[in-house]
Each structure stands twice: as structure tokens, then as C-alpha cells.
Amino acid sequence: MGNIKFKSYSNHNYRKIPQMSLLSEEEKFTIDVVGSVLPFKVNNYVIDELIDWDNFSTDPIYILTFPQKGMLSEKHFAKVANLIKVGADKTEIKKVTDEIRLQLNPAPAGQSSNVPEVNGEKLPGVQHKYRETMLFFPQQGQTCHAYCTFCFRWPQFTQMDEMKFAMKEIELVIEYLKQHTKITDFLFTGGDPMVMKSKIFGAYVDALIDADIPHLKTIRIGTKSLAYWPYRYTHDKDAPELLATIKKAVDMGIHVSFMGHFNHYAELKTKAVKDAIKAIQSTGAIIRTQSPVMRNINADANVWATMWRKQVDLGLIPYYMFLARDTGAQDYFSVPIVEAWDVFREAYKKVSGIVRTVKGPSMSANPGKVQVLGVVKIHGKKYFNLQFVQGRNPDWVGRPFFAKYDEKAIWIDDLYPALGEEEFFFEEYLNRDNKVADEIISNIE
Ligand SMILES: *Cc1c(COP(=O)(O)O)cnc(C)c1O
Ligand code: SF4
């Protein structure tokens, strides 16, 4: 077993990591440059137990956590590299890195336009996009045990305060929940809500339980902690308190689902993660899993088939495969839609029906979660067939629709209607004023 005392590293102190002696000065300089624009954080568990240091430069977990040169455009890289080389002061560097971040689409999928209100007050820590599910970003969960290089929530970690969705007041959240009787799922998200102290998390859950909301059926916890810090459930001082809170919710009849973020089967290999999974399962909670397909990390059907298979062996339920979001270092990580579908299908083909609970590949875009059903040939011509698995308008879900085939397309913005249609069926609605649109949604039966 590794060291169970949490120790984290960022671009300010990563040179103290013993394994850094394996890197050339140039490789370290790359970390300095990219790490000053996109968030970088890693910890002793990831370093000592997950990364294969004999092959670090191609190791998926290394690429998942350590900044890579290709994550910035050549122009942006050169700009920051020059500033660091000439010893520019911090404010000057920050001005440039902030400018670059703004060019990297920091709020994809219209995130900032989903801020709901209750009795005239804004709830900046809440997102309510799909009728049944409310997302809550507790203020104390706005970080992670380590950061993924492809993270789409990265502006929340880079002190760009105006883009944070955090909030404190659970009372308003509960009021909102009470007023929206169609919400069945309450999803704690972040950052990673499991970085919260058990006491704070417990207070939130207690407030939800005490409010006794009949339509609240499920509490979900979106977390990467099983992969990045499994000791959260077994060795952290307040681990027993956390498990007790979860068990309490389960015993009250609430379905508690961990939405575990796993990107590679390497994250499932340690005794620590297996013990953590057992600890969670002992409360009666279920663990579902999700991940994007990422070039340089997991864009390989064998990786997915192995990962899903191992998850099921451990009692986990594969849930979502995503495409790389249109933010941050998307150019470095994204694979074309057609390639992601290929990875999905090849992996899906390899596993038994029990493993095929997974949905994907799916794009979390402004109108909703769009699943790529596949490529269809009609009269010798190829088309994409897609469908919503979640929609701003629930009525869009489960209606297959077509788009022109484009082997280079990587995101829904690259797609165009096919077969004589002038626009996608949902576009007329999307083009209306957002507020009107949201009202329509909340009134749909
Ligand atoms: C993915 C997502 C959810 C949850 O969707 P499910 O399909 O129910 O898992 C809820 N809200 C937002 C904004 C999401 O992106
Ligand atoms: S765990 Fe999720 S929120 Fe945290 S860095 Fe990774 S992708 Fe971002």
C-alpha cells in the first residue's frame, strides 16, 4: 500500500516529486508553461500507484494529469514560454494566461445561461437543464484530488471567479427543489464533492433528508475520488462519517448513486480502489461509471472493453461514454465523431449484455446530450444517425435524426442537417429567447 497521507502538487511545487528526475529540463519547462494556463494538480496516490514511470511519456494516467505540450496551440505556448523565459512578473503572466483562457471556450454547452432562480433570487450554485435532474455545486467541493488535463470545469479552478457556479445556501436549494416537483434526482457535482469534509457533505444530505421531499428519489454524487484518492473512503479520518451519511440516505429509501469518473482500467488495478468500492457498496449505494473518449488516453476499443468488463467484475455499472467537450485543450484530446463511434461499437461488440448498460458516445451540448447512434448508408451515401438521450426539451429524447456525414466532424457544431432538411428539428426552439425556452421546459408535463 502507498502512503495514505494526502500530498498534492501543482505547477508551483511539482519539481519536488521524486519521479521528476526522470524528466528532461525541456519536459519540465513544458509543465511550467501549460500549467500556468490550464489547471495542474496531482497527488501522491496518482504518482505512486497509478502512473507507470518506466513509460511515463505515453502512460495514460500521466497524460491524464500532467500538462502536455499539445494542449496549447503553438502560438499560445510560445507567448507564455517567452514571458517565463524573460522572467516577466506574475501580474504580466496572469494577464496573458487569462486572455488565453478566454479564447478556450471556458463555458461550453451554455453552462452560464442555466442559472435558475427561486422567489426572484438567483441560485448560482445550481444548474437545472434537464427536467428530472438538478445539479448542485457545493462551494466546498470546487476542487478535485487531482485535475484531469482535459477537464471542462477548469475555469472553476483558475480563479476566474465570475465563472464559478458555487453557492452556500442550501435553504434556497431546497426551496427550489420543493417548487419543482418533477425533479427526482439531486446531483452533487463540482469539482469533486468528495473533497468536502464529511461533516459538510453530511449537513447537506441531512438538510435534504429533513426537508422530506416526496419527489426526491435519487441522490447522485459525481466524483473522480475513486480513481484519484480512494483513501477518501477507507483511511481519511472522516471516512466512517461519510459512509454513515450515505448509509443513512440509503436507509431512508433514497437511491444513492455514485457517478464514478474512470478514464482507464489502470485506475481500477489497486487494492486501494477495490477497498474503496467495497466500502461504498457496503452502505447500499450503487456505483455507475462514465468517461469521455480521449485521444492520447483511451481512444481504443480494447481499453474500453477491458475497463467496462473490470467495472462489472467489481459490481460497477457502466453508464456513459462522452465525446471530448468543446473547451480547454479539446484539440489535443478530441477524436472525430466517427472514430468515437467506432471505439464505442468495437468495445460494445466485445462484451456481454450485462456490460451493455452504457450509453454513448454522447455529446453534452447546448440543446442536450446527443448520442451518436452510428453511421447509416442510404442509397450509397453516408449519414450520421443521432438522438437525444437528454434534452432541454424532454420531448426531443429518443427521436432519431440525421446529419450529413463528415469524417472530420468532432462536435455537434460541425454537423449539418441532411436529407433536404434546412435545420435540425430542435433548432427553431433553441433560437428563441433562452428564458422563454426555459419556461416552456418547466411547464412540460
Ligand atoms: C448529464 C447531465 C445530467 C444527468 O443526465 P442523466 O442522463 O440523467 O445522467 C444532468 N444535468 C446536466 C447539465 C448534465 O449534463
Ligand atoms: S475530476 Fe472532473 S472536475 Fe475534476 S479535474 Fe477531472 S474532469 Fe475536471
Side-chain angles (χ1 to χ4, degrees):
M1 195 176 74
N3 192 343
I4 54 148
K5 198 166 167 333
F6 184 75
K7 206 164 172 219
S8 80
Y9 300 91
S10 68
N11 48 329
H12 303 297
N13 66 348
Y14 77 90
R15 284 172 192 256
K16 291 190 189 140
I17 300 169
Q19 288 87 341
M20 287 300 103
S21 60
L22 297 165
L23 272 68
S24 67
E25 274 315 308
E26 196 190 330
E27 282 165 328
K28 283 184 250 190
F29 184 65
T30 293
I31 295 177
D32 293 335
V33 174
V34 180
S36 69
V37 179
L38 294 164
F40 165 39
K41 179 176 173 184
V42 67
N43 68 55
N44 51 311
Y45 171 76
V46 176
I47 292 166
D48 295 336
E49 300 202 46
L50 295 187
I51 293 174
D52 171 11
W53 288 99
D54 291 338
N55 305 293
F56 74 89
S57 62
T58 54
D59 181 70
I61 311 298
Y62 179 81
I63 297 171
L64 172 66
T65 49
F66 282 78
Q68 305 295 314
K69 188 161 191 181
M71 286 167 53
L72 289 182
S73 69
E74 273 176 38
K75 195 178 89 194
H76 287 160
F77 188 94
K79 207 167 176 182
V80 180
N82 284 337
L83 283 177
I84 294 178
K85 270 187 193 144
V86 302
D89 67 38
K90 273 192 188 143
T91 26
E92 199 179 336
I93 295 179
K94 185 170 182 312
K95 193 168 156 272
V96 171
T97 54
D98 277 354
E99 271 168 25
I100 294 175
R101 285 174 190 149
L102 284 174
Q103 291 173 41
L104 299 176
N105 192 19
Q111 281 176 23
S112 50
S113 64
N114 297 327
V115 178
E117 286 182 10
V118 64
N119 304 336
E121 260 190 272
K122 281 210 181 327
L123 297 179
V126 166
Q127 231 185 305
H128 184 199
K129 181 167 172 180
Y130 306 132
R131 193 177 51 188
E132 285 81 13
T133 305
M134 168 176 180
L135 267 52
F136 177 50
F137 298 74
Q139 192 169 57
Q140 302 85 350
Q142 294 306 306
T143 182
C144 300
H145 292 102
Y147 291 151
C148 309
T149 39
F150 61 71
C151 181
F152 70 96
R153 297 233 159 108
W154 57 274
Q156 291 162 240
F157 312 140
T158 51
Q159 289 158 2
M160 300 184 87
D161 289 337
E162 64 277 18
M163 286 165 197
K164 288 187 181 178
F165 315 105
M167 74 171 299
K168 260 186 191 148
E169 290 79 21
I170 188 74
E171 291 84 12
L172 285 178
V173 169
I174 284 174
E175 189 52 36
Y176 185 85
L177 201 48
K178 282 186 174 160
Q179 289 180 10
H180 291 79
T181 56
K182 299 250 161 55
I183 297 175
T184 54
D185 289 34
F186 187 90
L187 201 164
F188 284 96
T189 181
D192 192 328
M194 290 293 98
V195 303
M196 273 193 276
K197 293 275 171 258
S198 302
K199 210 178 178 163
I200 294 166
F201 177 69
Y204 284 130
V205 172
D206 282 344
L208 285 172
I209 291 175
D210 293 345
D212 196 19
I213 302 162
H215 51 276
L216 178 67
K217 306 288 186 204
T218 300
I219 293 178
R220 299 197 215 175
I221 302 159
T223 185
K224 179 79 185 167
S225 54
L226 280 164
Y228 279 166
W229 191 248
Y231 301 127
R232 177 71 190 94
Y233 305 93
T234 53
H235 290 76
D236 278 6
K237 246 196 229 129
D238 59 351
E241 204 179 330
L242 174 64
L243 298 175
T245 293
I246 294 161
K247 185 164 185 321
K248 184 173 162 189
V250 171
D251 290 345
M252 293 292 295
I254 293 176
H255 175 65
V256 179
S257 180
F258 277 73
M259 310 308 285
H261 183 172
F262 290 102
N263 308 116
H264 196 279
Y265 58 78
E267 295 165 327
L268 295 159
K269 71 185 175 188
T270 67
K271 179 172 184 307
V273 69
K274 288 174 186 154
D275 289 347
I277 288 169
K278 282 195 190 128
I280 290 173
Q281 287 167 340
S282 75
T283 66
I286 298 288
I287 305 169
R288 292 183 172 80
T289 63
Q290 56 192 43
S291 168
V293 193
M294 293 286 164
R295 191 154 60 92
N296 301 308
I297 295 176
N298 65 12
D300 173 338
N302 284 318
V303 170
W304 283 83
T306 307
M307 178 166 75
W308 289 337
R309 188 67 253 172
K310 271 183 193 271
Q311 288 172 353
V312 171
D313 290 347
L314 295 166
L316 280 47
I317 303 174
Y319 188 64
Y320 266 133
M321 177 200 264
F322 295 117
L323 273 93
R325 293 222 190 204
D326 53 342
T327 181
Q330 190 195 27
D331 289 346
Y332 183 73
F333 292 113
S334 63
V335 298
I337 291 171
V338 62
E339 204 180 311
W341 171 63
D342 207 50
V343 170
F344 181 88
R345 200 171 70 99
E346 288 303 320
Y348 200 77
K349 268 183 1 192
K350 287 178 201 287
V351 295
S352 86
I354 283 288
V355 188
R356 293 182 185 155
T357 48
V358 64
K359 293 172 278 186
S362 159
M363 290 175 269
S364 295
N366 187 29
K369 280 190 171 69
V370 179
Q371 181 188 12
V372 182
L373 292 170
V375 178
V376 183
K377 237 184 189 172
I378 302 172
H379 294 310
K381 219 174 147 196
K382 286 181 184 170
Y383 300 90
F384 280 121
N385 193 200
L386 309 141
Q387 76 170 357
F388 283 94
V389 285
Q390 276 298 353
R392 276 181 182 271
N393 183 337
D395 194 41
W396 299 342
V397 173
R399 292 189 195 188
F401 64 98
F402 287 95
K404 284 189 179 137
Y405 179 75
D406 176 354
E407 63 181 15
K408 291 206 183 83
I410 59 171
W411 195 246
I412 186 162
D413 297 356
D414 304 328
L415 298 182
Y416 294 91
L419 299 162
E421 297 291 330
E422 279 181 10
E423 54 177 23
F424 290 119
F425 75 90
F426 52 88
E427 278 183 292
E428 179 206 338
Y429 169 89
L430 267 186
N431 292 338
R432 286 186 235 166
D433 174 64
N434 246 333
K435 201 166 161 55
V436 176
D438 285 345
E439 272 167 27
I440 294 171
I441 286 170
S442 60
N443 289 331
I444 280 178
E445 288 305 317

